Amino acid sequence: PQRSISNVLWGEVLLYEMTQEEKYKKAADKWAKLLVEGQNEDGSWADTYNPLDKRWAGKASGLYIACYTLPALINYHILTKDEAVGNAIIKAAEYLMANDKYKGYFDSVAYSFWLTGDNKYRAFLEGYLAEFVSWRNEGQDDLHRGIVFDKLYYQRPNEYLYSVPFA
């Protein structure tokens, strides 16, 4: 699955950063290239990659794109400054901005602003962050006060704890 490829990419980036061993950088290059080549025209990725027939299949998953693929590509881009990866990040951020209202993809939009300087990303972030904060439960119940979604387990908080600081 797309998220597994992304996890491997991010792991290879971290291993390279820790060890400076070229084998990890080469592996990261391979996985980043696979993701860049597999990106759809609209900026999304299909859910699954089949290495036997080298094809992507399935529908796009905003969750996988926002929470796995983009963080991995951002960390790879920080390391390499690869132009194709930077363009893939921007394209995917555009896709999420247009198609997904409830995911924590502040990082990719902020990174797109950093890469381009285009104030449309900053304006989107400001509006999205304000909207996100407005969803907070203001009730008196200690168990629910401050949560953003209706269910305590709906979405994982770590994705927001990771991505919101970018905004």
Side-chain angles (χ1 to χ4, degrees):
Q2 173 201 144
R3 65 187 182 274
S4 297
I5 293 169
S6 302
N7 284 338
V8 172
L9 168 60
W10 203 347
E12 299 290 3
V13 168
L14 293 172
L15 286 167
Y16 178 73
E17 287 177 336
M18 290 187 317
T19 68
Q20 295 299 299
E21 291 185 36
E22 195 60 30
K23 66 181 179 180
Y24 298 121
K25 168 68 171 57
K26 286 181 182 177
D29 293 342
K30 171 187 152 186
W31 297 113
K33 182 179 179 188
L34 178 65
L35 286 168
V36 167
E37 290 175 352
Q39 189 175 33
N40 295 321
E41 281 298 314
D42 67 359
S44 69
W45 281 270
D47 179 36
T48 304
Y49 177 75
N50 182 334
L52 297 177
D53 64 10
K54 299 181 188 236
R55 291 178 162 227
W56 289 86
K59 62 181 184 169
S61 168
L63 178 67
Y64 300 158
I65 294 167
C67 302
Y68 297 90
T69 301
L70 284 170
L73 288 174
I74 289 169
N75 279 275
Y76 179 83
H77 189 265
I78 290 168
L79 176 70
T80 67
K81 309 296 186 260
D82 183 283
E83 185 177 354
V85 171
N87 291 335
I89 293 166
I90 294 165
K91 197 172 174 182
E94 295 272 347
Y95 171 82
L96 291 172
M97 289 166 57
N99 295 290
D100 205 321
K101 185 175 178 177
Y102 299 109
K103 303 293 184 301
Y105 53 87
F106 298 94
D107 56 342
S108 60
V109 178
Y111 202 75
S112 295
F113 173 68
W114 181 74
L115 288 174
T116 67
D118 190 330
N119 279 320
K120 74 178 178 183
Y121 299 110
R122 182 178 177 184
F124 181 88
L125 276 175
E126 290 171 352
Y128 190 49
L129 188 57
E131 185 176 12
F132 181 76
V133 169
S134 77
W135 296 337
R136 250 187 357 220
N137 184 319
E138 300 289 345
Q140 297 303 310
D141 177 1
D142 287 339
L143 189 59
H144 294 90
R145 186 177 43 248
I147 70 168
V148 175
F149 298 108
D150 293 334
K151 299 176 185 173
L152 294 178
Y153 62 88
Y154 191 74
Q155 290 299 351
R156 294 169 291 234
N158 55 324
E159 284 135 17
Y160 294 94
L161 293 173
Y162 158 78
S163 69
V164 168
F166 282 85

